[in-house]
Amino acid sequence: MLTETLFQHGTLAALVPGLFTGTITAGELLKHGDTGIGTLAGLDGELIIDAGTIYQVNHEGKVRVVAPDETIPFGNVHFANFGPAQTLKAASYADLQAAVRAHLRSLNLFAAIRLTGTFKHVTTRAVRKQTVPYPTLVATADDQSVFNAENVMGTLSGYFSPALYAGAAAPGFHLHFLSADHQFGGHVLAASGVTGALQLQTFTNFELHLPADDAAFRDQDFTSPQIVADIERAEH
């Protein structure tokens, strides 16, 4: 049952108006999975969770291990139980996404993605840590760093989320990258010349944990139809 469950703390919709306060510790999040992605309080960089270790890529492009007491406003984790590896080759990021989509069991189920191999080119980003009063999610695009790597070995990982759950998650792919030497990574914006081993894990359960003790979350109005559009703009 545990390997069939995707656990998520917080929602991407909550990040749109700037609810960046950490509402779960890294240590607590790891009780629900050993693999995943997320961000730290203040929207501080990008997280890649692998084999029970949380790595942060900050706005300077530096990679470090996150301590158990650091806090997180949004994160996805699961216990890894990936299926057999399948060879994937893709000339562009659009080709990569199309190839992964073709291997998904269903577009109406959450799935974890792990693609390990060589990448001719990868473009990633990470946001600088924001301070109170927090800006909106879209506004942070002006305070992000973009990184490029050529001929890099590493792992692209993250999730496919069905359109049905837009707002809770970003519809489609939400993918992060970490190089094999742990010197490069971030939220993936583009990739090309990819050859690697693709593994997927489909979930029958989606467990959403909300920050019920956070007054800002309880009082926020999320009825605006612009929320999903802002999520997709910020993600891509």
Side-chain angles (χ1 to χ4, degrees):
M1 179 66 75
L2 287 178
T3 60
E4 296 176 352
T5 299
L6 171 61
F7 177 90
Q8 178 174 300
H9 174 74
T11 67
L12 279 179
L15 300 183
V16 170
L19 300 186
F20 303 156
T21 299
T23 45
I24 192 172
T25 65
E28 183 64 30
L29 185 67
L30 287 177
K31 293 180 181 179
H32 301 278
D34 56 19
T35 303
I37 57 175
T39 187
L40 287 178
L43 213 67
D44 185 8
E46 306 290 341
L47 303 182
I48 299 97
I49 304 162
D50 182 47
T53 298
I54 303 180
Y55 301 92
Q56 179 214 30
V57 182
N58 70 13
H59 77 282
E60 295 179 335
K62 296 179 180 178
V63 181
R64 69 176 182 91
V65 175
V66 173
D69 61 349
E70 294 184 67
T71 58
I72 292 169
F74 175 85
N76 293 101
V77 290
H78 70 282
F79 289 102
N81 186 29
F82 289 94
Q86 307 170 72
T87 299
L88 183 147
K89 293 185 178 182
S92 68
Y93 195 40
D95 291 342
L96 185 155
Q97 292 184 65
V100 174
R101 191 182 295 266
H103 284 95
L104 293 173
R105 177 180 169 189
S106 169
L107 299 182
N108 297 323
L109 294 171
F110 286 92
I113 296 145
R114 174 184 284 168
L115 176 58
T116 300
T118 58
F119 297 74
K120 185 176 181 180
H121 179 86
V122 180
T123 300
T124 65
R125 68 106 191 272
V127 175
R128 181 188 302 271
K129 184 178 182 179
Q130 305 298 299
T131 57
V132 177
Y134 291 130
T136 64
L137 181 64
V138 169
T140 64
D142 295 329
D143 206 14
Q144 69 180 16
S145 300
V146 176
F147 313 108
N148 291 281
E150 307 290 336
N151 301 314
V152 60
M153 296 181 63
T155 299
L156 181 152
S157 62
Y159 298 93
F160 173 84
S161 299
L164 176 62
Y165 301 100
F173 295 100
H174 185 174
L175 303 172
H176 291 186
F177 184 84
L178 184 64
S179 64
D181 61 6
H182 294 178
Q183 297 299 304
F184 171 84
H187 176 100
V188 178
L189 296 177
S192 62
V194 181
T195 301
L198 171 68
Q199 293 177 284
L200 301 173
Q201 183 174 345
T202 303
F203 305 104
T204 56
N205 305 305
F206 176 54
E207 183 178 350
L208 179 59
H209 181 254
L210 299 173
D213 294 331
D214 183 54
F217 173 78
R218 294 198 306 269
D219 296 341
Q220 181 66 45
D221 180 4
F222 292 108
T223 58
S224 170
Q226 184 64 30
I227 286 177
V228 173
D230 283 350
I231 289 173
E232 293 185 337
R233 179 180 171 188
E235 287 297 304
H236 304 297

